[in-house]
Amino acid sequence: MKLEILEEVTTNVFLAKYGEKEFLATKSKFKSHYGEKKYVGLREWIPYRSKLAAMIMNGYRLDLKPDMKVLYLGAASGTTVSHLSDVLERGMIYAVEYSARPFKKLLELAVERRNIVPLLKDASKPEEYAGIVERVDLIYQDIAQKNQREIFVKNADFFLEEGGEGLIMVKARSIDSVADPSEVFRRFLSELEEDVPIIGYGKLDPFHRDHIFVHVSDSERLK
Ligand SMILES: C[S@@+](CC[C@H](N)C(=O)[O-])C[C@H]1O[C@@H](n2cnc3c(N)ncnc32)[C@H](O)[C@@H]1O
């Protein structure tokens, strides 16, 4: 069977085909990190495991540049971080995770790659890593916390470069476990809009039910 590239989605990210299987992948010289398949020069990026992959599979396009600096809040064991690390060949990812268990695997990933700085820290206390993290082009947040809007804004105040952007992955149930998800999202978006301009948002279904992504800009902070 032949590996075919169908589309270069953004730098180092491809829609590919192998036999009948179409899939998203990043260009990678590294080994598999979470059971994903490897093809010659490519690593499958599974949308059921990564919300960023789900966002791309749902048609949303993000301009990722190989030299970008990213602050990643809620890195867990590094599933999505591993793909961002493939993409940002000359960039840097500051990966914050406060739970020691997934952090062990994130550490292993950072040992084999030079563009990941793992930080066992609480994302609600950016002052604790302010001496380590530099100004970044993108803040990616996936922390499933009730106060995630406040956490994002606090980190943006510390670290987001002027003209930088943010991506926030929002799980309805983490904000309100009983309300209708569309009402939870409506409230979240209207509150967030008071702090940062929203560039776009969309659902992560069918890969992640009752989740949305929100893409924000810092270029004209509303305060
Ligand atoms: C849904 S998982 C993240 C999955 C990961 N983003 C990925 O795609 O590979 C959410 C993670 O956020 C972490 N988290 C939640 N609140 C946090 C906080 N305040 N500071 C740091 N990490 C936090 C949790 O421990 C958990 O590992």
Side-chain angles (χ1 to χ4, degrees), residues 33-34 45 49-53 72-82 96-100 102-103 119-125 129 140-145 147 151 169 171 208 211:
H33 182 61
Y34 58 96
W45 191 0
R49 302 289 302 277
S50 167
K51 296 174 194 104
L52 185 55
Y72 193 117
L73 306 172
S77 54
T79 299
T80 301
V81 169
S82 72
V96 176
E97 170 56 54
Y98 71 178
S99 170
F103 190 77
L119 296 161
L120 184 60
K121 297 282 183 195
D122 183 343
S124 67
K125 297 176 183 156
Y129 43 90
Y140 183 99
Q141 179 173 293
D142 180 14
I143 55 171
Q145 293 285 350
N147 61 339
I151 291 178
M169 302 295 157
K171 178 182 179 179
H208 302 268
H211 283 74

Side-chain angles (χ1 to χ4, degrees), residues 45-87:
W45 191 0
I46 304 175
Y48 289 98
R49 302 289 302 277
S50 167
K51 296 174 194 104
L52 185 55
M55 185 190 98
I56 295 170
M57 288 302 280
N58 281 356
Y60 199 80
R61 295 291 179 257
L62 200 67
D63 190 15
L64 294 170
K65 302 211 170 62
D67 60 352
M68 267 173 119
K69 293 180 189 116
V70 174
L71 172 61
Y72 193 117
L73 306 172
S77 54
T79 299
T80 301
V81 169
S82 72
H83 289 285
L84 271 178
S85 159
D86 286 341
V87 174

Side-chain angles (χ1 to χ4, degrees), residues 101-197:
R101 228 169 136 209
F103 190 77
K104 267 174 77 177
K105 202 165 170 205
L106 179 67
L107 264 183
E108 287 166 22
L109 187 74
V111 167
E112 79 176 19
R113 293 158 179 261
R114 310 184 90 185
N115 60 356
I116 302 171
V117 178
L119 296 161
L120 184 60
K121 297 282 183 195
D122 183 343
S124 67
K125 297 176 183 156
E127 59 281 4
E128 290 189 1
Y129 43 90
I132 303 167
V133 177
E134 59 191 317
R135 290 224 153 225
V136 297
D137 307 296
L138 176 72
I139 297 180
Y140 183 99
Q141 179 173 293
D142 180 14
I143 55 171
Q145 293 285 350
K146 204 177 168 76
N147 61 339
Q148 55 193 293
R149 182 175 63 86
E150 290 83 350
I151 291 178
F152 178 83
V153 170
K154 218 170 159 187
N155 278 274
D157 283 342
F158 266 91
F159 305 112
L160 197 56
E161 192 68 84
E162 208 174 302
E165 294 181 3
L167 262 184
I168 311 171
M169 302 295 157
V170 188
K171 178 182 179 179
R173 259 186 301 129
S174 66
I175 297 178
D176 189 325
S177 57
V178 289
D180 178 38
S182 52
E183 176 54 23
V184 176
F185 297 142
R186 195 197 57 72
R187 257 189 282 134
F188 181 83
L189 290 166
S190 87
E191 285 170 13
L192 184 67
E193 214 162 25
E194 289 172 20
D195 294 315
V196 281

Side-chain angles (χ1 to χ4, degrees), residues 209-222:
R209 279 191 60 207
D210 296 335
H211 283 74
I212 55 166
F213 68 87
V214 189
H215 185 194
V216 300
S217 152
D218 194 57
S219 57
E220 304 159 48
R221 292 295 289 274
L222 305 176

